[in-house]
Amino acid sequence: MHCGAISLEKLARQFGTPLYVYSADQILERLRIFQEAFGDRDTLVCYAVKANSALAILALLAAHGAGFDIVSGGELERVLAAAPDAAARVVFSGVGKTPAEMDFALESGILEFNVESEAELHLLADRARRLKRKARFALRVNPDVFAETHPYISTGLREHKFGIDIRRALAIYKSVAGNRWLEPHGISVHIGSQIRSADPFGAALERVYKLVRQLDRAGIPLQSIDAGGGLGIDYHGGSFDAAAKIHEYAQALDEALAGYAGRLLIEPGRFIVAQAGALVARVLHVKRNGKKTFVITDAAMNDLIRPALYQAHHEIVPVRPRAGKPRVVDVVGPVCESGDFFARDRNLAPVVPGDLIALLDAGAYGMAQSSNYNTRPRPAEVLVEGRKARLIRRRETIADLLAPEILTSEK
Ligand SMILES: *Cc1c(COP(=O)(O)O)cnc(C)c1O
């Protein structure tokens, strides 16, 4: 099994396991398809940093024209470290921005704040006044559109914590129209993640565009519509045509925006990086308990929590297949939790201790959601560019983990 031209066996030998491996070529290919999918429409692809925030990946995307959707001051630090010139292509989302994060973003000159409540808008105006820097803002509206996905990653309904009820947005834009520190710049929406159908995106944007026209008539013209992220991939492998999916998505947006001449922002995260990444792990033991067979790997839920958190499915394949019939097994990690599994009752080709397996489509919300639970150092990360593989994050050491701790009180 290979990533680009490079064998996963070789990478595992060189960098150890568990190991995240990403294909730069696939990441850039997906970015390009998004960038070109809207034809002549003025479009900015703002990659959602939280999906995978590796500096090398941010730098790669920035070098190819991507903007960024961030949800914390820390993510802004990352973007600026990776691509100091990208600040003007950053949109800042999130329901709980602190004054310090707002100040940092104002001073950095980001493109737009996606504001999620009236209270946040007033705080933003206050920070902008203190710093004497006008804040460009978009209200993140909640279009009350139902999108079929896991309940933890559905965000577009009125009862979710995200956004502002779309029926209240017009009044809020009007209420701050005279504020010299606030510039109504756009409007944004994000209805959830891992949404497989294009229809809810179109439905949400129709409602948003209607509001944009109302604002226009009210003398509040906006520069941009931010359609958010959330386009889902196929975690079950097979013949997934990413380009066709992106085009279907773009068409749904375009139809909803017929007649709209302003700028379009989109915030894909998962779709750009998920399928470009795999988590490579080594089989430690194969153990039978009662009727069940457990394949225990050196990767665990702290390295990739999606199966435990969302009952998510990842295809698992031996890196070098052996002859023999597949067996029904649970693939689990060494962490002391019964929730520490990658797959249950899965048909897996035969493996023995020492074999390598790859958990596929792990490039998004994998390393980004990793932790040190059970005092486990996080994996190394490797980026494959053409015929070259490059370490982009060294494996953590136990010393890294202990460094912030204070054992004795200083007198
Ligand atoms: C998480 C998030 C995204 C990205 O979602 P994906 O499903 O990874 O495309 C985009 N915008 C906002 C506001 C988000 O919170």
Side-chain angles (χ1 to χ4, degrees):
M1 218 189 161
H2 288 71
C3 178
I6 302 192
S7 103
L8 294 185
E9 264 179 352
K10 186 168 165 234
L11 292 176
R13 253 198 321 274
Q14 188 175 355
F15 298 106
T17 56
L19 181 70
Y20 274 104
V21 180
Y22 309 112
S23 158
D25 298 338
Q26 193 191 108
I27 291 171
L28 290 181
E29 165 81 0
R30 294 276 169 105
L31 172 65
R32 190 184 55 76
I33 300 171
F34 274 113
Q35 286 170 330
E36 293 174 357
F38 296 90
D40 293 339
R41 194 184 282 289
D42 179 10
T43 308
L44 179 64
V45 179
C46 294
Y47 166 71
V49 172
K50 75 177 189 287
N52 186 322
S53 54
L55 293 176
I57 290 177
L58 301 183
L60 182 74
L61 289 164
H64 290 81
F68 298 95
D69 169 54
I70 59 163
V71 292
S72 72
E75 287 190 349
L76 180 54
E77 296 263 17
R78 280 187 174 275
V79 169
L80 296 181
D85 304 333
R89 303 197 300 270
V90 168
V91 299
F92 192 173
S93 306
V95 292
K97 303 177 190 77
T98 66
E101 287 176 320
M102 287 180 179
D103 290 358
F104 178 37
L106 282 166
E107 276 164 348
S108 305
I110 66 163
L111 176 62
E112 150 185 307
F113 289 83
N114 287 346
V115 170
E116 305 223 8
S117 71
E118 239 181 311
E120 184 192 329
L121 188 58
H122 292 136
L123 178 61
L124 180 61
D126 183 51
R127 302 319 298 182
R129 181 179 52 76
R130 284 167 196 256
L131 294 178
K132 303 211 173 356
R133 280 183 177 257
K134 202 159 183 167
R136 284 177 293 272
F137 77 94
L139 291 189
R140 172 169 171 184
V141 295
N142 199 317
D144 203 28
V145 163
F146 176 71
E148 186 130 52
T149 185
H150 190 279
Y152 288 5
I153 50 179
S154 173
T155 58
L157 285 179
R158 218 174 279 153
E159 62 258 32
H160 292 141
K161 73 176 176 182
F162 299 97
I164 294 171
D165 189 334
I166 193 164
R167 297 167 304 178
R168 296 195 46 237
L170 179 62
I172 297 173
Y173 277 103
K174 280 181 178 166
S175 74
V176 295
N179 189 312
R180 57 185 288 227
W181 299 109
L182 291 176
E183 178 186 331
H185 181 263
I187 186 157
S188 76
V189 70
H190 172 72
I191 55 175
S193 196
Q194 184 52 14
I195 297 165
R196 298 295 311 279
S197 156
D199 299 338
F201 296 106
L205 269 208
E206 267 174 35
R207 295 179 190 188
V208 167
Y209 183 33
K210 190 169 159 222
L211 178 59
V212 168
R213 289 188 306 249
Q214 286 173 345
L215 283 159
D216 213 39
R217 285 195 295 275
I220 305 172
L222 299 180
Q223 314 279 311
S224 65
I225 292 179
D226 180 344
L231 185 62
I233 61 151
D234 183 355
Y235 281 98
H236 290 263
S239 56
F240 180 63
D241 186 342
K245 197 77 210 169
I246 293 173
H247 287 123
E248 182 192 329
Y249 167 79
Q251 196 178 340
L253 267 53
D254 260 335
E255 274 168 22
L257 296 177
Y260 172 69
R263 192 176 205 201
L264 174 66
L265 311 183
I266 55 170
E267 304 171 347
R270 184 192 312 271
F271 208 96
I272 289 182
V273 289
Q275 292 178 298
L279 175 59
V280 181
R282 206 173 278 285
V283 174
L284 298 176
H285 310 288
V286 179
K287 164 175 173 174
R288 280 192 72 92
N289 249 2
K291 286 205 176 73
K292 297 204 68 132
T293 301
F294 293 93
V295 171
I296 303 170
T297 73
D298 64 357
M301 66 186 290
N302 71 294
D303 305 306
L304 176 67
I305 202 174
R306 297 189 68 261
L309 190 59
Y310 314 115
Q311 294 80 48
H313 177 97
H314 285 271
E315 287 291 317
I316 302 175
V317 290
V319 166
R320 182 186 287 276
R322 295 176 176 277
K325 279 213 291 279
R327 275 188 301 183
V328 176
V329 300
D330 281 16
V331 181
V332 303
V335 161
C336 303
E337 298 272 345
S338 293
D340 179 25
F341 62 87
F342 293 127
R344 284 179 161 158
D345 298 325
R346 180 77 63 87
N347 241 335
L348 190 73
V351 290
V352 303
D355 283 2
L356 293 170
I357 59 163
L359 291 123
L360 304 186
D361 305 331
Y365 306 105
M367 187 64 172
Q369 290 190 341
S370 64
S371 77
N372 294 120
Y373 188 39
N374 278 209
T375 307
R376 290 171 50 86
R378 272 177 289 202
E381 296 180 289
V382 168
L383 185 65
V384 175
E385 301 175 281
R387 313 194 65 79
K388 284 209 292 279
R390 173 160 71 94
L391 186 68
I392 60 168
R393 192 183 206 271
R394 66 163 171 80
R395 186 174 305 285
E396 278 176 345
T397 63
I398 299 295
D400 290 330
L401 272 56
L402 299 191
E405 296 193 32
I406 299 161
L407 187 56
T408 53
S409 59
E410 304 255 333
K411 287 267 161 61

